[in-house]
Amino acid sequence: MGTWNLTGTKHHLLLCNGGSCMLQGAEGLTQAIREEISLHHADSEIHTTRTLCNGRCEDACTVVQYPAGLWYKNLTPSLGRQLVRELLNVESTLQRNLSYVCEQDQLVATGLAALGTNKQPHRASAKSQ
């Protein structure tokens, strides 16, 4: 474990390693993204974090890009490498893999992925009241 100095970081990729994504190859995707970052000596520009479930299992494998607020779906190791190159302005091809974008400080579905189930408000349990 490390505490990284993230000064100068331009992109933070949240790599879903939850159950559905792992079944669809998230480990290979994670390694491909990290290898591509290293290949381009971009560790100071692109930071990655493995997460547990990002809540978009139908879109497996998912990667969330911040601070842009872009949610990518159905990524493979090859598409993960393309994502890194896109972030480094080497190429731009992943628009069809965007499931959500951030507009006016909120996420908006692109219409290219399953809409999903609406969340129910959390209710405080009797013990916590």
Side-chain angles (χ1 to χ4, degrees), residues 11 15 55 119:
H11 309 284
L15 312 172
K119 289 183 165 186

Side-chain angles (χ1 to χ4, degrees), residues 1-14:
M1 294 285 175
T3 301
W4 305 109
N5 178 352
L6 299 176
T7 303
T9 299
K10 296 177 183 176
H11 309 284
H12 184 188
L13 300 179
L14 304 175

Side-chain angles (χ1 to χ4, degrees), residues 27-45:
E27 180 62 31
L29 172 62
T30 297
Q31 294 309 315
I33 286 173
R34 290 179 170 175
E35 288 168 6
E36 195 71 17
I37 291 168
S38 293
L39 178 70
H40 292 280
H41 307 285
D43 291 297
S44 62
E45 290 181 54

Side-chain angles (χ1 to χ4, degrees), residues 28-29 32 36 75-85 91 94:
L29 172 62
E36 195 71 17
L75 292 188
T76 62
S78 176
L79 291 173
R81 291 180 185 280
Q82 285 180 340
L83 174 59
V84 171
R85 291 190 299 271
E91 63 182 67
L94 290 176

Side-chain angles (χ1 to χ4, degrees), residues 8-13 45-48 65-68 87-88:
T9 299
K10 296 177 183 176
H11 309 284
H12 184 188
L13 300 179
E45 290 181 54
I46 303 172
H47 179 70
T48 63
Q65 177 196 340
Y66 277 94
L87 295 177
L88 298 172

Side-chain angles (χ1 to χ4, degrees), residues 12-16 21 29-30 33 54 59 61-65 70-75 80 83 97-99:
H12 184 188
L13 300 179
L14 304 175
L15 312 172
C16 185
C21 285
L29 172 62
T30 297
I33 286 173
N54 284 340
D59 295 339
C61 295
T62 64
V63 172
V64 183
Q65 177 196 340
L70 301 176
W71 288 59
Y72 292 92
K73 65 181 183 80
N74 305 126
L75 292 188
L83 174 59
N97 290 86
L98 283 173
S99 58

